[in-house]
Amino acid sequence: MFRQGSMYERLYEINAGKPWLGRMKPFRVVGNVYFIGTYQASSHIVDTGEGLIMIDTGYANTAYLVLHSLHELGFDVRDIRYIVNTHWHGDHTEATAAFVDLSGAKALIGREDAEKAAQHFTPDIWIDDGDTLSLGNVTMRFMHTPGHTKGTISFFFDVEEGGRTLRVGSFGGAGLNTMVRSRFDFEGCREAYRASLHRLMEERVDVFLGNHTWNNDTYGKSLLLCEGKENPFIDSTLWGTFLHDYEKRLDEVIKNDQ
Ligand SMILES: [Zn+2]
């Protein structure tokens, strides 16, 4: 299991063919939201009371780790009704076909990513800007936030925690790796990415879910949670800070890759 102290070394080993070193202990993030992912790729479960919504499935070679985490929390894979895929890249979607196979769930992806996603799974539902997904006590609202890929989808929904209603939000594709010319997903992606950041900044988010653990320090915060500290995932400032920081990073990437 992943341990702190050598994160980058460990990520190197993970990428060099030892995916199991990225295993993380699954935990409840907030309300009815659970982390079941690995250090290299986040996966979340939302327990709606009438079935589960899974968000991103991770790499194919970590499917067994994610499945193990799901079971460790007491869930049954057959209760997954929907799998939301934030964008077509393999670190988020490679295991989707396996989880569809085990659960019979419907797989969702942004309309503009559906064609490329087909190399990993067969999308059942194509998401457009403003679409919603309702199941049990959850209504998820989707925002089309192109940039990292053409069909990147971000999402928002409310949870209850300690008598409060909190807004959960996630940016479906923050990675700046595709802002480098040689790796563009589509023409105009930089402008689209910036516009997406500005739209996302308009949203109030109390709990920022990263679709990579380094976006919101999922790992460090999970350790604090285990120590019984006040829930570090509830932080209404992180969303804005993160988005502004990524706009600065975008400027840097553009400056260095004219
Ligand atoms: Zn990606």
Side-chain angles (χ1 to χ4, degrees), residues 87 89 91-92 148:
H87 64 275
H89 289 159
D91 46 343
H92 305 276
H148 178 63

Side-chain angles (χ1 to χ4, degrees), residues 148-222:
H148 178 63
T149 69
K150 198 172 186 183
T152 294
I153 290 294
S154 300
F155 60 84
F156 306 91
F157 60 96
D158 289 345
V159 297
E160 301 293 326
E161 171 101 344
R164 295 165 63 198
T165 300
L166 300 169
R167 171 72 44 81
V168 174
S170 185
F171 181 13
L176 291 162
N177 52 327
T178 54
M179 294 296 103
V180 178
R181 273 179 199 289
S182 59
R183 302 194 61 187
F184 277 3
D185 190 67
F186 61 103
E187 274 309 314
C189 60
R190 288 170 170 174
E191 295 75 15
Y193 187 105
R194 191 183 302 280
S196 293
L197 284 176
H198 291 172
R199 267 191 92 192
L200 290 164
M201 284 171 194
E202 300 290 315
E203 297 285 331
R204 177 185 63 84
V205 168
D206 305 306
V207 179
F208 170 30
L209 285 191
N211 71 351
H212 279 292
T213 55
W214 42 89
N215 288 350
N216 64 343
D217 188 24
T218 310
Y219 181 70
K221 287 178 179 169
S222 75

Side-chain angles (χ1 to χ4, degrees), residues 40-258:
Q40 55 268 45
S42 303
S43 291
H44 291 90
I45 282 288
V46 186
D47 180 5
T48 74
E50 291 180 24
L52 308 174
I53 299 173
M54 184 173 188
I55 301 155
D56 286 345
T57 57
Y59 290 101
N61 67 11
T62 55
Y64 72 105
L65 297 174
V66 175
L67 182 64
H68 180 76
S69 290
L70 183 75
H71 288 164
E72 200 173 319
L73 290 173
F75 293 120
D76 188 325
V77 68
R78 291 169 296 188
D79 290 331
I80 300 173
R81 298 277 175 273
Y82 296 104
I83 300 174
V84 174
N85 297 273
T86 54
H87 64 275
W88 71 266
H89 289 159
D91 46 343
H92 305 276
T93 63
E94 269 184 12
T96 296
F99 279 94
V100 166
D101 190 44
L102 290 168
S103 66
K106 299 276 184 231
L108 295 80
I109 191 141
R111 181 175 296 278
E112 286 80 356
D113 268 11
E115 203 177 313
K116 286 177 177 166
Q119 64 190 281
H120 302 306
F121 68 99
T122 305
D124 298 297
I125 299 172
W126 298 2
I127 305 171
D128 287 312
D129 189 55
D131 281 355
T132 58
L133 173 69
S134 291
L135 183 69
N137 55 20
V138 173
T139 294
M140 207 172 268
R141 174 170 57 89
F142 297 112
M143 185 187 285
H144 179 215
T145 49
H148 178 63
T149 69
K150 198 172 186 183
T152 294
I153 290 294
S154 300
F155 60 84
F156 306 91
F157 60 96
D158 289 345
V159 297
E160 301 293 326
E161 171 101 344
R164 295 165 63 198
T165 300
L166 300 169
R167 171 72 44 81
V168 174
S170 185
F171 181 13
L176 291 162
N177 52 327
T178 54
M179 294 296 103
V180 178
R181 273 179 199 289
S182 59
R183 302 194 61 187
F184 277 3
D185 190 67
F186 61 103
E187 274 309 314
C189 60
R190 288 170 170 174
E191 295 75 15
Y193 187 105
R194 191 183 302 280
S196 293
L197 284 176
H198 291 172
R199 267 191 92 192
L200 290 164
M201 284 171 194
E202 300 290 315
E203 297 285 331
R204 177 185 63 84
V205 168
D206 305 306
V207 179
F208 170 30
L209 285 191
N211 71 351
H212 279 292
T213 55
W214 42 89
N215 288 350
N216 64 343
D217 188 24
T218 310
Y219 181 70
K221 287 178 179 169
S222 75
L223 297 182
L224 294 174
L225 260 188
C226 290
E227 289 169 17
K229 296 267 170 41
E230 199 173 330
N231 192 332
F233 288 95
I234 303 173
D235 176 354
S236 304
T237 65
L238 183 59
W239 178 254
T241 306
F242 177 84
L243 296 171
H244 282 100
D245 180 44
Y246 267 65
E247 185 163 26
K248 283 201 199 104
R249 292 189 192 198
L250 172 66
D251 291 336
E252 283 294 307
V253 170
I254 294 172
K255 197 173 82 185
N256 295 323
D257 184 50
Q258 295 289 352

